[in-house]
Amino acid sequence: MPQGLVAEPAQGTALADQFGRRVTYLRISVTEHCNFRCSYCSPEEGTPFFVRKDHLQAEEYDRLIRIFSGLGVRHIRFTGGEPLLHPQILSFVGFARRHGVGKISISTNGTLLGRRADALKQMGVNNLNVSLDSLDPEVFARVTRGGDLRRVLEGIDAAIRARIPRIKLNVVLLRQDNGDSLPALLEYAIQRGVDIRFIEAMPLGEAGADARETQFLSAAEAQQVIEQHFGPLQPVIRPADNGPARLYQLPAARSQVGFITPISDDFCATCNRVRLTATGRLVYCLGQDGGLELLPLIRGAASDGQIAEAITQGIWRDKPEHHHFVNDPNRSARVFMMRLGG
């Protein structure tokens, strides 16, 4: 056996790859459609049309969530596109709770959050990430190509009132668009007692590749800007299931500050996640388009056990050791961010 690899998993065991990483986190994209067209995520013309019959149906999501839970997945995040556009998003959250998933998260642009925050909390969402790249209405509208900042801020306040336990703001670092306003975004998070994550732009699809080329701002630079305003950040030990962010705390502030560094300091060695697209494709790595088509198995004669075995073997055999954002950007340029769900 090559050095660094581990033995093939026995049938029915928890999910792991050949590099010794356990997979306990599943990100589920429930739609490719979004009411924003963010400059680093979407083509300017928006998303292409996707045929509905090619999408997973509610009962198929229910079955797959049950299978993944049985394989040791303990954290499910619903993404998109914009997941709150899906009329059955509350049912999907209910599936995860019913099947014993302890950590249920949603990533949203926040536009529809004002009317759905209470219901999301009641159904069991205990982690919420809201995209917020600027507090300037004009900049926000430019980055999102038409987004209404007021509605997003109202949605964040609604989530706070609903007492969703953990709320995080996601800020994609864009040198020209928000490089000089990072302290203001952190101050906003502190005032509301929510966490904030600063994320390096990734070269996913043409939009992401362009943002990476023209607006890249490293997390190290962002941290330097923030510390010039707030003083030294104090490192926080990251919980095992808390994602890839390097976490810091400010003195006398409840909010945690995180930096996610897929480009400048990748976290592939500790990757514990896979992704499921709305068309039933299991994707092993955000930066590559390789994966396993589950829709034919779901709609064929495969049993739950056979589907679980296909998932287990696929992850062990094909989950790559690293992404290729830096040394082979053309590979990630083929990835359509709004289909994969981030």
Side-chain angles (χ1 to χ4, degrees):
M1 181 184 302
Q3 188 175 6
L5 303 186
V6 298
E8 183 174 357
Q11 186 170 357
T13 58
L15 299 174
D17 65 20
Q18 57 186 308
F19 306 103
R21 298 172 297 192
R22 291 281 302 275
V23 173
T24 58
Y25 178 13
L26 175 66
R27 298 175 66 104
I28 299 178
S29 173
V30 298
T31 179
E32 298 96 341
H33 296 290
C34 187
N35 41 12
F36 286 180
R37 299 190 303 279
C38 295
S39 59
Y40 52 82
C41 178
S42 169
E44 188 168 1
E45 65 273 14
T47 59
F49 176 75
F50 298 103
V51 181
R52 181 165 176 76
K53 67 179 178 62
D54 295 335
H55 285 60
L56 290 167
Q57 302 302 300
E59 64 276 8
E60 295 167 335
Y61 280 112
D62 188 18
R63 186 181 180 192
L64 284 172
I65 289 170
R66 182 178 71 242
I67 291 170
F68 274 101
S69 177
L71 290 170
V73 164
R74 294 296 173 259
H75 179 192
I76 286 180
R77 178 179 297 280
F78 295 101
T79 69
E82 171 48 48
L84 299 190
L85 284 173
H86 199 294
Q88 293 177 291
I89 184 62
L90 295 177
S91 296
F92 300 159
V93 172
F95 298 157
R97 184 175 64 176
R98 188 172 72 244
H99 295 309
V101 176
K103 188 173 182 180
I104 305 173
S105 305
I106 284 186
S107 291
T108 174
N109 62 34
T111 301
L112 301 176
L113 193 53
R115 66 174 97 156
R116 301 205 115 176
D118 286 326
L120 291 170
K121 170 63 165 59
Q122 292 169 9
M123 288 302 295
V125 170
N126 47 35
N127 279 264
L128 181 72
N129 288 49
V130 185
S131 178
L132 185 66
D133 296 321
S134 179
L135 291 169
D136 182 313
E138 291 185 5
V139 174
F140 187 87
R142 183 175 70 245
V143 171
T144 59
R145 298 192 177 107
D148 184 345
L149 176 63
R150 177 188 56 83
R151 289 186 63 185
V152 174
L153 299 183
E154 289 174 353
I156 293 169
D157 288 341
I160 294 170
R161 289 194 301 271
R163 298 183 181 274
I164 293 176
R166 200 75 183 187
I167 300 171
K168 307 181 190 76
L169 307 179
N170 283 356
V171 180
V172 175
L173 294 168
L174 303 167
R175 185 175 296 277
Q176 283 80 40
D177 289 324
N178 61 20
D180 60 354
S181 58
L182 305 182
L185 285 158
L186 176 52
E187 184 62 40
Y188 172 86
I190 292 171
Q191 290 174 357
R192 281 154 182 79
V194 300
D195 296 338
I196 190 166
R197 302 287 186 265
F198 296 102
I199 307 168
E200 292 177 345
M202 292 177 282
L204 295 171
E206 292 182 9
D210 182 67
R212 167 77 173 87
E213 182 69 24
T214 62
Q215 290 223 59
F216 183 73
L217 178 65
S218 73
E221 292 177 273
Q223 183 171 345
Q224 185 177 25
V225 169
I226 287 169
E227 289 188 327
Q228 287 173 351
H229 285 76
F230 292 93
L233 299 174
Q234 304 300 316
V236 174
I237 296 176
R238 185 178 70 193
D241 65 343
N242 206 53
R246 291 183 288 110
L247 299 180
Y248 297 86
Q249 196 88 44
L250 282 168
R254 172 186 169 189
S255 302
Q256 288 188 344
V257 184
F259 298 93
I260 299 179
T261 57
I263 305 299
S264 63
D265 185 16
D266 78 62
F267 35 83
C268 299
T270 57
C271 181
N272 66 341
R273 71 204 63 194
V274 290
R275 292 164 171 82
L276 179 67
T277 73
T279 58
R281 181 174 178 81
L282 182 65
V283 179
Y284 307 122
C285 174
L286 180 59
Q288 301 187 33
D289 56 3
L292 173 66
E293 299 293 349
L294 295 178
L295 198 62
L297 297 176
I298 285 284
R299 295 183 179 174
S303 66
D304 284 8
Q306 290 170 323
I307 295 171
E309 181 65 10
I311 292 168
T312 301
Q313 292 300 321
I315 290 173
W316 182 85
R317 183 181 61 246
D318 295 328
K319 184 171 171 60
E321 187 174 11
H322 295 285
H323 65 59
H324 296 281
F325 289 151
V326 176
N327 62 351
D328 188 5
N330 288 333
R331 185 178 299 192
S332 56
R334 297 194 299 265
V335 176
F336 186 48
M337 183 70 161
M338 295 182 72
R339 167 166 277 186
L340 196 53

